[in-house]
Amino acid sequence: MANFGFNLSEHPPEEAFKPIPPGDYPAIITEADIKPNSANTGAYMKVKFVITEGEYTNRVVFNNYNISHPNPQAE
């Protein structure tokens, strides 16, 4: 087994991220890309946000937005 120069038992595990409650949060878009949907019949925008203020500052949120789809309800 590899020796990385530290004893893992001396470092407590970090608390896992809890889901961010529904609400409005100030954020900036740090990445955005347009991708084809899985059936190649439309496209969606894949967006990465970083929250800029409050309790969840620096948390990252991802969302996809349909921008073209053969089904108007999905779009």
Side-chain angles (χ1 to χ4, degrees):
M1 180 179 267
N3 181 358
F4 292 104
F6 65 93
N7 183 348
L8 189 58
S9 65
E10 294 173 4
H11 302 276
E14 292 187 22
E15 187 175 321
F17 279 127
K18 295 178 183 165
I20 297 172
D24 294 328
Y25 299 94
I28 59 172
I29 295 173
T30 59
E31 293 179 28
D33 199 11
I34 295 176
K35 304 267 189 182
N37 65 12
S38 59
N40 279 326
T41 58
Y44 66 95
M45 184 182 306
K46 181 178 179 178
V47 182
K48 176 182 173 182
F49 299 90
V50 176
I51 297 176
T52 58
E53 296 177 23
E55 179 181 354
Y56 300 101
T57 298
N58 295 324
R59 289 283 301 268
V60 177
V61 179
F62 299 91
N63 205 5
N64 294 336
Y65 301 95
N66 279 323
I67 56 175
S68 65
H69 196 278
N71 180 341
Q73 188 174 6
E75 186 173 293

